Amino acid sequence: MILDGYNRFCRSLPHTAHVIQWDDAHVWKVGGPKGKVFAIASRWHGPSLDFTFKASQLSFDLLKDKPGVRPAPYFASRGLLWLQRRTAETLDDAALKDYLRESHRLAAQNLPKRLQLELGLV
């Protein structure tokens, strides 16, 4: 997936905001600019894009040791269920979009209940 496609897809999800932070990472949040992070595209570990996303316990356990995927540095080391797709060996772009969609849903669940109701995310 190229950066434009990633940004276009994340923008299509409900109530998202895009910020560039952490050394030029493209960060997407649900619930506005101060909302919850659900996706990050970065070149922290080389010239190719890495895609980082929140995962369920089952998805994390299933994917964490697959080729091209790893527990997300900084997040997983703190006990958080985040994965990073480094290559498309295990997760092609269609599968990555599915996981980004699920990450959006999981992050939305961590918004204040009042905001979830206000945005229609419940």
Side-chain angles (χ1 to χ4, degrees):
M1 181 179 294
I2 62 172
L3 186 58
D4 287 344
Y6 160 81
N7 283 330
R8 197 170 29 257
F9 177 76
C10 290
R11 185 178 300 111
S12 75
L13 298 172
H15 308 292
T16 59
H18 175 248
V19 294
I20 297 177
Q21 60 190 63
W22 304 320
D23 296 327
D24 209 26
H26 288 254
V27 179
W28 283 91
K29 299 178 180 185
V30 59
K34 294 184 180 182
K36 300 294 183 179
V37 174
F38 73 92
I40 304 165
S42 69
R43 288 189 169 88
W44 294 329
H45 305 285
S48 63
L49 276 172
D50 294 330
F51 300 97
T52 304
F53 54 93
K54 189 175 183 73
S56 68
Q57 183 70 58
L58 180 63
S59 294
F60 186 86
D61 291 343
L62 178 71
L63 295 171
K64 68 181 179 181
D65 297 319
K66 297 291 184 186
V69 179
R70 67 180 183 176
Y74 314 112
F75 291 98
S77 66
R78 289 164 175 76
L80 302 173
L81 300 175
W82 283 74
L83 293 166
Q84 186 174 74
R85 186 191 91 164
R86 310 257 353 250
T87 68
E89 287 177 78
T90 297
L91 293 180
D92 63 13
D93 288 352
L96 176 60
K97 286 179 180 179
D98 288 340
Y99 282 101
L100 291 172
R101 199 175 287 112
E102 176 65 2
S103 180
H104 176 272
R105 187 188 72 75
L106 291 168
Q109 289 178 339
N110 290 324
L111 292 169
K113 296 297 180 197
R114 176 192 52 75
L115 184 57
Q116 288 181 45
L117 288 168
E118 183 179 308
L119 297 176
L121 293 170
V122 182

